Amino acid sequence: AFTVFQLYQGSIFNTAGSANSVAMMCSAILPFCLMSAFAVKGILRWLYWIFSAALLAIAVLINFSSAWLALAAGVAAALVLGMLKFKNKKDLGWISFPLIALVLSIFFMVFRNQLPGFPKAPVEVLLSMQAELNLVRDLILHSPLLGTGPGTFIFDYAKFHQLGLNSTAFWDTRFASGASGILDWFITKGVLGGLAFLSAVITAIVFSAIKLIKSKDTGPDWIIGAAVFSSFIAVVAGQAFYYSNFTLSFLFWIILAGLSLFTGPKKKISIARPAFLPPALSLFFLLAVILGAGLVFLGGQKYIAEVNYLQGVNMVNSGNSNQGMEKILLAAQQNPSMDLYWRNLSQLYLSQAKQMASSANLSDDQKKKAQSGMSNAIAAANQAVAVDPANVENWNV
């Protein structure tokens, strides 16, 4: 019997993206865990040590050079802060652990061979930095101020990539992102968007560093603030040398928010409830319930469609084509905005029609079924194009 847990049985399955994305996440969080262990006591300290060991083990297992570079940048920032802030050696007891992490990062960056006995991480095909710089140059000339818009990198690459790539094995490879998250900002959001992003990063780094160095506090609060600062440096370095998917982007902004919380000015706010608050909260809660129910319904319908589609694919692969096509058709009807369902359904209809037409002696009923299969294939292909006319795979079908 089919179970949705079959989705999670792949050896490289994770919720962060590729294996390299997991390594980048570990490199961004590890400096925070290492330093925060010295700001707490008891079971929390042991938990931070366990988290740090697990994050380091994952980074070693994947052994991604850009992740080691990001980790080196983060722990180096922690070391610089410690040396500028503390003059007494007794206050620098925590500095040995970031130093060990820095040495390990440099070691794995220099010796990139996979450790013996460890499984080899899957290869991820990415654009080179030089190829993305060429895209930045061409896109700035084409759309200098605002870029082409969020999520349009795949179309920018298809239009402006170097013609020499067409003579290589990657002639039909489509890249949804480049080699650097920061450069992706300049491509999709233009010069204004890229400079706005860099301004936010530089402002956060400069003001936070000044605040941490000049602060008179040397206790746990300062260590937590320095830990968040170190992780922010690591995640920024990751953005510079690796693309940013949804998970890594969320991690970047949540760390930036944490940095503003620990190093920004402290303000007092009043929690006294105004007279209009109870009815406003009631209205907000009612709207949230209605919208939440709608989202659950739509999301549940798409989830059921995905389950039916996967069931159909498994049936087709096992030789039960007719029932598999019925399942895929049901998935397409439940979520008609997914061009993948219509595209694959069209190919299945076409294959079925060709198989029928290849018979030497066809009855009238078989001829009608073959003609019906061709009509269904054409209709499904047209529906795929209507759903996503910018996808070249739909036009190929």
Side-chain angles (χ1 to χ4, degrees):
F2 172 80
T3 171
V4 294
F5 291 103
Q6 291 177 356
L7 294 171
Y8 317 129
Q9 293 178 358
S11 59
I12 62 172
F13 172 80
N14 62 82
T15 57
S18 64
N20 292 338
S21 298
V22 176
M24 297 300 296
M25 287 188 62
C26 294
S27 299
I29 301 173
L30 183 56
F32 174 79
C33 291
L34 276 177
M35 296 183 64
S36 297
F38 293 91
V40 295
K41 297 180 180 180
I43 190 172
L44 284 178
R45 174 170 290 188
W46 284 104
L47 287 176
Y48 274 123
W49 287 129
I50 293 172
F51 291 154
S52 299
L55 293 171
L56 184 60
I58 295 173
V60 172
L61 181 64
I62 299 175
N63 197 12
F64 182 43
S65 58
S66 295
W68 291 120
L69 181 61
L71 178 60
V75 294
L79 294 175
V80 172
L81 279 178
M83 289 184 291
L84 292 176
K85 179 67 176 178
F86 299 104
K87 304 301 180 183
N88 299 326
K89 292 183 178 180
K90 64 178 182 179
D91 297 327
L92 295 175
W94 56 271
I95 210 168
S96 57
F97 289 91
L99 183 60
I100 293 173
L102 178 61
V103 172
L104 284 175
S105 302
I106 296 175
F107 173 82
F108 283 106
M109 279 192 290
V110 175
F111 302 99
R112 298 185 179 182
N113 295 331
Q114 193 74 22
L115 295 178
F118 283 78
K120 189 174 181 180
V123 177
E124 185 178 15
V125 179
L126 298 172
L127 274 181
S128 66
M129 192 65 70
Q130 183 59 46
E132 182 156 20
L133 287 173
N134 293 334
L135 281 178
V136 172
R137 179 197 62 199
D138 295 337
L139 263 298
I140 286 179
L141 294 176
H142 181 264
S143 302
L145 295 181
L146 300 178
T148 55
T152 57
F153 185 93
I154 188 171
F155 308 117
D156 297 332
Y157 172 79
K159 186 175 182 179
F160 294 101
H161 71 272
Q162 291 181 324
L163 296 179
L165 288 174
N166 293 334
S167 59
T168 68
F170 302 105
W171 66 272
D172 62 342
T173 303
R174 299 186 300 160
F175 293 96
S177 55
S180 167
I182 295 178
L183 292 180
D184 287 353
W185 270 76
F186 283 92
I187 291 176
T188 58
K189 284 95 174 176
V191 175
L192 291 180
L195 291 179
F197 180 80
L198 289 180
S199 299
V201 169
I202 295 173
T203 301
I205 292 175
V206 172
F207 281 90
S208 299
I210 293 174
K211 179 69 178 294
L212 289 169
I213 293 173
K214 291 185 176 181
S215 175
K216 297 180 180 180
D217 180 23
T218 58
D221 289 342
W222 185 92
I223 295 178
I224 292 292
V228 178
F229 178 80
S230 302
S231 285
F232 183 71
I233 296 295
V235 77
V236 169
Q239 293 260 346
F241 297 99
Y242 189 69
Y243 73 90
S244 182
N245 57 20
F246 178 83
T247 308
L248 294 176
S249 295
F250 179 81
L251 181 64
F252 169 85
W253 293 109
I254 202 70
I255 292 178
L256 178 58
L259 188 64
S260 64
L261 175 65
F262 282 100
T263 61
K266 302 298 186 291
K267 295 182 178 180
K268 295 182 179 180
I269 60 173
S270 174
I271 59 174
R273 293 188 301 175
F276 66 87
L277 187 59
L281 286 177
S282 300
L283 178 61
F284 175 79
F285 178 76
L286 181 61
L287 291 176
V289 170
I290 296 174
L291 292 176
L295 290 176
V296 168
F297 175 77
L298 293 176
Q301 189 176 18
K302 291 183 178 181
Y303 175 78
I304 294 174
E306 190 69 14
V307 171
N308 287 326
Y309 172 75
L310 191 55
Q311 287 180 339
V313 170
N314 290 335
M315 290 179 180
V316 171
N317 292 335
S318 63
N320 193 356
S321 299
N322 291 331
Q323 291 187 2
M325 291 170 61
E326 291 178 0
K327 281 286 185 180
I328 296 177
L329 176 60
L330 179 61
Q333 292 172 344
Q334 291 170 335
N335 186 10
S337 62
M338 181 67 73
D339 63 319
L340 172 66
Y341 300 164
W342 296 108
R343 184 170 66 245
N344 290 346
L345 187 63
S346 173
Q347 292 175 309
L348 290 173
Y349 279 133
L350 178 62
S351 176
Q352 186 184 60
K354 288 173 62 178
Q355 186 177 4
M356 290 182 180
S358 63
S359 301
N361 297 319
L362 291 178
S363 63
D364 292 339
D365 184 58
Q366 289 175 327
K367 290 180 180 179
K368 291 180 180 179
K369 288 183 178 180
Q371 292 174 352
S372 176
M374 287 299 300
S375 300
N376 290 336
I378 294 172
N382 287 333
Q383 182 63 26
V385 171
V387 170
D388 190 0
N391 191 341
V392 67
E393 293 184 2
N394 297 334
W395 291 101
N396 286 336
V397 175

